[in-house]
Amino acid sequence: MSVAMLAQKEAEESIVPDETEHEGEDQPERDSSGGFSFKSLLWHGGSVWDAWFSCASNQVAQVLLTLPYSFSQLGMISGIILQIFYGIIGSWTAYLISVLYIEFRTRKEKENVNFKNHVIQWFEVLDGLLGPYWKAVGLAFNCTFLLFGSVIQLIACASNIYYIDDKLDKRTWTYIFGACCATTVFIPSFHNYRIWSFLGLAMTTYTAWYMAIAALVHGQVENVTHSGPAKLVLYFTGATNILYTFGGHAVTVEIMHAMWKPQKFKYIYLLATLYVFTLTLPSAAVVYWAFGDELLDHSNAFSLLPKTRFRDAAVILMLIHQFITFGFACTPLYFVWEKVIGMHDTKSICLRALVRLPVVIPVWFLAIIFPFFGPINSAVGALLVSFTVYIIPALAHMLTYRSASARQNAAEKPPAFMRSWTAMYVFNAFIVIWILVVGFGFGGWASMTNFVKQIDSFGLFAKCYQCKPLSSPPATAAAPPPPHH
């Protein structure tokens, strides 16, 4: 074994979070009696499997319900191709983020920096590798994306529960679920999402296969049409929603930091994406096959599927999963806020929960202002995900390793399938140009055009967006005609 390989192996083995040095790989913490702690088994996760469940669970939540809507805008072939395309690119940029995290951590640990009781975040990686301007850009895009990601989960909760109980309008349900989701302030970090990630993925799996099977059993509606793609605005709106689907990277660094051995993260996101394909492709394709162009006016697939106990079960499971995903999106915001006010090192769960509450208030407010389920996904995808998930990681990797010395001393060398730094630069440059032109450019124009159209149609603070009462009022006797004179 060469000296360089030995040095790289030693560097990798040194990257173990300080607070869990006593734990072995994939082993739960032991209690004082020497046996396994049931609480730790459910609560304290940091294995490769924990990271995989977190990535897969976080990657597809409410967007599962909007993908048939995107297929109606894109057409079947484009919908399938773009899912695979953005899934691969998203997995690659998640890999880049993991490489940059390991590079940052390795450099800092050589300087004897201690990360005990400190969660490393993406903007800190950018700051350590590229300087304060990159930190500011990363912080702005990441926090805004996470903010609206949380807003989307809240909107989705209100949209879904309405299909079980339409006695309350969606705005009232948003008030209720805002209060429920505020309880995520009590979850300290991503170490503590072990059981939630597992349950979240199980719930998404049930919902996806319910959608596919229910649509098959229902069959095609009478005179079904599949006219997509019909308009450029709709096409690029659907494309950016798929770009958003595979853009769960805003919490990648936090998930890595929660791992006992973060260097093993490199291919986890790709493996999670491959599993997600088994959920998104069949459900979106079959629902679009069954309902066709009707989906253009129904951004939530639940609104077209027949009301049965299986659909109600799917709605309830998605509600629970959206609560989990709200926590995933908000937890990095909690960390940032704690660092701003100097409370990040506080060990009291109750005190940390109290200081986190102000983060939930703007999320709640924005969900009430913009309750546009579906169109808001595309707008967030084009304007925020395009930079946060795709452009910034690719550019940051290119600039971090632009010098020969940086490449020679890199903690992670190019993967075997890429072979050289030049190939990585070419692929990263392609991603930057493609996303900038297609994702941000055309996608931004299309999604904002569609978003403004929704505001014009429904107005801000819409009480019940795309509502169709499910409970018909009792029929009243027709008034007798007026007497003839």
Side-chain angles (χ1 to χ4, degrees):
M1 183 179 291
S2 68
V3 175
M5 291 177 67
L6 280 170
Q8 182 178 348
K9 181 177 177 63
E10 290 174 0
E12 287 182 350
E13 290 176 347
S14 69
I15 303 176
V16 182
D18 299 309
E19 62 268 31
T20 56
E21 287 177 345
H22 62 285
E23 295 172 3
E25 171 65 10
D26 292 1
Q27 296 296 322
E29 184 181 356
R30 293 178 180 273
D31 62 20
S32 57
S33 65
F36 287 119
S37 165
F38 186 71
K39 175 183 174 183
S40 296
L41 182 64
L42 298 180
W43 181 252
H44 190 79
S47 69
V48 169
W49 280 105
D50 288 309
W52 184 84
F53 277 116
S54 292
C55 288
S57 177
N58 183 56
Q59 190 173 137
V60 57
Q62 51 71 39
V63 76
L64 186 70
L65 307 176
T66 66
L67 285 174
Y69 167 68
S70 296
F71 270 48
S72 70
Q73 297 169 320
L74 291 163
M76 186 75 78
I77 296 175
S78 288
I80 293 172
I81 291 174
L82 285 175
Q83 274 205 47
I84 296 171
F85 176 71
Y86 282 123
I88 292 172
I89 290 183
S91 299
W92 173 253
T93 52
Y95 167 78
L96 297 181
I97 291 172
S98 72
V99 167
L100 294 172
Y101 170 87
I102 292 172
E103 182 69 39
F104 168 78
R105 184 101 186 232
T106 303
R107 292 183 187 182
K108 289 299 179 183
E109 290 186 346
K110 286 179 180 177
E111 299 170 6
N112 295 320
V113 176
N114 191 336
F115 292 107
K116 188 176 181 67
N117 297 326
H118 181 92
V119 177
I120 298 173
Q121 295 187 266
W122 176 229
F123 68 90
E124 293 170 319
V125 173
L126 291 174
D127 184 28
L129 297 177
L130 297 173
Y133 292 110
W134 277 85
K135 172 186 176 180
V137 171
L139 186 61
F141 274 104
N142 221 42
C143 287
T144 309
F145 169 38
L146 289 167
L147 178 69
F148 278 96
S150 305
V151 168
I152 288 169
Q153 300 309 319
L154 208 49
I155 295 170
C157 285
S159 177
N160 289 344
I161 191 64
Y162 184 78
Y163 298 114
I164 289 182
D165 185 349
D166 63 347
K167 294 181 178 65
L168 298 177
D169 58 77
K170 291 182 182 178
R171 188 166 66 192
T172 303
W173 280 119
T174 304
Y175 293 138
I176 295 170
F177 279 100
C180 295
C181 290
T183 59
T184 57
V185 297
F186 288 100
I187 302 176
S189 73
F190 283 98
H191 273 298
N192 313 116
Y193 274 98
R194 165 174 279 183
I195 187 65
W196 294 114
S197 298
F198 174 78
L199 291 175
L201 189 58
M203 294 167 186
T204 310
T205 301
Y206 171 87
T207 302
W209 286 106
Y210 154 74
M211 289 168 60
I213 294 169
L216 276 174
V217 171
H218 180 278
Q220 289 186 311
V221 296
E222 188 177 357
N223 299 321
V224 65
T225 56
H226 300 87
S227 59
K231 297 178 181 178
L232 279 178
V233 169
L234 294 179
Y235 186 87
F236 285 108
T237 300
T240 50
N241 187 43
I242 293 180
L243 179 146
Y244 169 84
T245 302
F246 297 97
H249 305 26
V251 296
T252 298
V253 171
E254 288 83 359
I255 292 173
M256 284 188 69
H257 189 82
M259 292 178 68
W260 299 325
K261 293 189 177 181
Q263 75 277 7
K264 294 195 172 185
F265 181 88
K266 288 179 286 188
Y267 302 112
I268 287 176
Y269 197 91
L270 174 61
L271 296 175
T273 299
L274 294 176
Y275 179 78
V276 167
F277 281 153
T278 69
L279 308 181
T280 59
L281 288 169
S283 61
V286 176
V287 173
Y288 176 53
W289 166 83
F291 297 100
D293 291 346
E294 284 190 22
L295 285 158
L296 290 169
D297 298 317
H298 296 81
S299 53
N300 189 330
F302 280 149
S303 63
L304 289 176
L305 293 169
K307 182 174 174 60
T308 63
R309 65 180 183 275
F310 297 108
R311 194 199 69 169
D312 289 351
V315 171
I316 292 169
L317 292 178
M318 283 303 291
L319 286 171
I320 300 171
H321 187 227
Q322 280 150 2
F323 166 82
I324 298 168
T325 309
F326 181 94
F328 266 109
C330 257
T331 298
L333 293 177
Y334 297 152
F335 293 155
V336 173
W337 178 244
E338 289 169 359
K339 292 171 184 177
V340 168
I341 63 175
M343 299 292 288
H344 189 57
D345 295 334
T346 303
K347 294 183 179 180
S348 169
I349 292 178
C350 292
L351 183 57
R352 290 181 74 180
L354 185 63
V355 301
R356 288 174 170 189
L357 278 175
V359 176
V360 181
I361 295 172
V363 174
W364 211 345
F365 188 63
L366 288 168
I368 295 167
I369 297 177
F370 304 114
F372 309 126
F373 190 83
I376 195 172
N377 286 6
S378 298
V380 170
L383 304 181
L384 298 172
V385 175
S386 57
F387 283 93
T388 302
V389 171
Y390 300 96
I391 294 174
I392 291 177
L395 277 177
H397 189 275
M398 294 168 73
L399 293 175
T400 297
Y401 299 107
R402 63 187 180 276
S403 67
S405 61
R407 294 192 294 271
Q408 184 176 357
N409 298 314
E412 289 286 335
K413 303 301 182 185
F417 61 85
M418 195 59 72
R419 294 187 177 276
S420 70
W421 289 101
T422 302
M424 292 190 75
Y425 266 69
V426 170
F427 192 47
N428 288 341
F430 165 76
I431 291 173
V432 171
I433 295 169
W434 177 275
I435 300 297
L436 197 60
V437 174
V438 178
F440 177 72
F442 289 108
W445 159 73
S447 60
M448 288 310 297
T449 300
N450 191 31
F451 193 69
V452 171
K453 179 183 176 183
Q454 304 302 315
I455 294 175
D456 291 340
S457 300
F458 296 93
L460 298 177
F461 299 96
K463 191 173 184 179
C464 213
Y465 174 69
Q466 286 188 347
C467 287
K468 181 180 180 182
L470 302 181
S471 302
S472 303
T476 56
H484 293 283
H485 297 288

